[in-house]
Amino acid sequence: MSDIAPVYHYRTLVVTVENKSGVLARVAGLFARRGFNIESLAVAPTDNENFSRLTIVVELASSPLEQVIKQLDKLINVVEIRELHPDHSVERELMIVTVEAEPDRRDELVEHLDRAGGKVLSVGVDRMMLSLVGPPARIDEFEDLLRPHGIVELQRTGRVALAALDEGG
């Protein structure tokens, strides 16, 4: 086992904000004004209709994390900011993709999809629509695997994340 800690080039911030018009625009504007690069952004209401949750993946090369947090904390509608460390969180992403799929190549595609844990959503004459949910690295690998088949259209959600549960809890 290596004593070298893995190097992470991004950090995931979970930002709880008041569920009000214009909040997302203010957060995005802050990132743009400061030149902070957002690698991924997912937004959805929480279980409390008064609040929304932003999961923001920030590239560390473009911005010191402390600066990002300080700037976010200054926004009026921000209620809470938490950093989720990659070793102590669970991240998932959804990919829906349409690929070229002549009938004689479909079995191969379905085999790859089954190994990755994905689903066939639709089958056309010469195309298939597939979906896969998983850690971002698995989504990246699957996307690379599909490229030689011919990606017609692709949509990824961006990361969503929660803090990992403590052992036994």
Side-chain angles (χ1 to χ4, degrees):
M1 191 158 138
S2 174
D3 291 334
I4 300 172
V7 176
Y8 298 103
H9 301 287
Y10 69 89
R11 283 293 191 265
T12 302
L13 298 176
V14 175
V15 183
T16 303
V17 297
E18 294 174 358
N19 195 6
K20 294 186 176 180
S21 176
V23 173
L24 179 58
R26 284 192 286 284
V27 169
L30 172 131
F31 277 82
R33 282 190 309 277
R34 301 289 185 221
F36 298 155
N37 189 35
I38 297 175
E39 181 175 315
S40 173
L41 173 66
V43 183
T46 67
D47 56 332
N48 180 335
E49 65 186 31
N50 296 316
F51 301 102
S52 288
R53 175 186 170 106
L54 286 68
T55 305
I56 306 170
V57 179
V58 181
E59 186 182 303
L60 290 181
S62 70
S63 52
L65 189 63
E66 299 77 27
Q67 272 301 110
V68 172
I69 292 171
K70 284 179 186 177
Q71 296 298 320
L72 279 171
D73 201 34
K74 291 179 182 180
L75 294 178
I76 294 171
N77 301 108
V78 171
V79 176
E80 180 184 33
I81 304 167
R82 291 187 309 141
E83 177 189 357
L84 297 181
H85 192 278
D87 289 338
H88 305 290
S89 63
V90 176
E91 297 181 338
R92 294 293 181 266
E93 187 172 354
L94 164 67
M95 175 176 65
I96 299 175
V97 59
T98 300
V99 294
E100 297 290 341
E102 296 296 329
D104 61 333
R105 299 202 66 201
R106 290 183 183 165
D107 287 344
E108 178 188 353
L109 278 169
V110 171
E111 189 177 309
H112 290 308
L113 189 63
D114 285 345
R115 276 199 298 269
K119 296 182 184 205
V120 175
L121 300 178
S122 181
V123 178
V125 175
D126 58 356
R127 295 179 175 171
M128 293 176 71
M129 184 181 292
L130 315 172
S131 73
L132 179 64
V133 174
R138 182 175 348 143
I139 302 295
D140 292 341
E141 290 168 6
F142 192 70
E143 183 179 333
D144 290 343
L145 184 109
L146 292 176
R147 287 206 183 282
H149 291 275
I151 294 175
V152 176
E153 190 171 15
L154 176 123
Q155 177 66 53
R156 292 175 65 160
T157 59
R159 297 176 194 179
V160 293
L162 290 174
L165 299 175
D166 293 333
E167 293 296 318

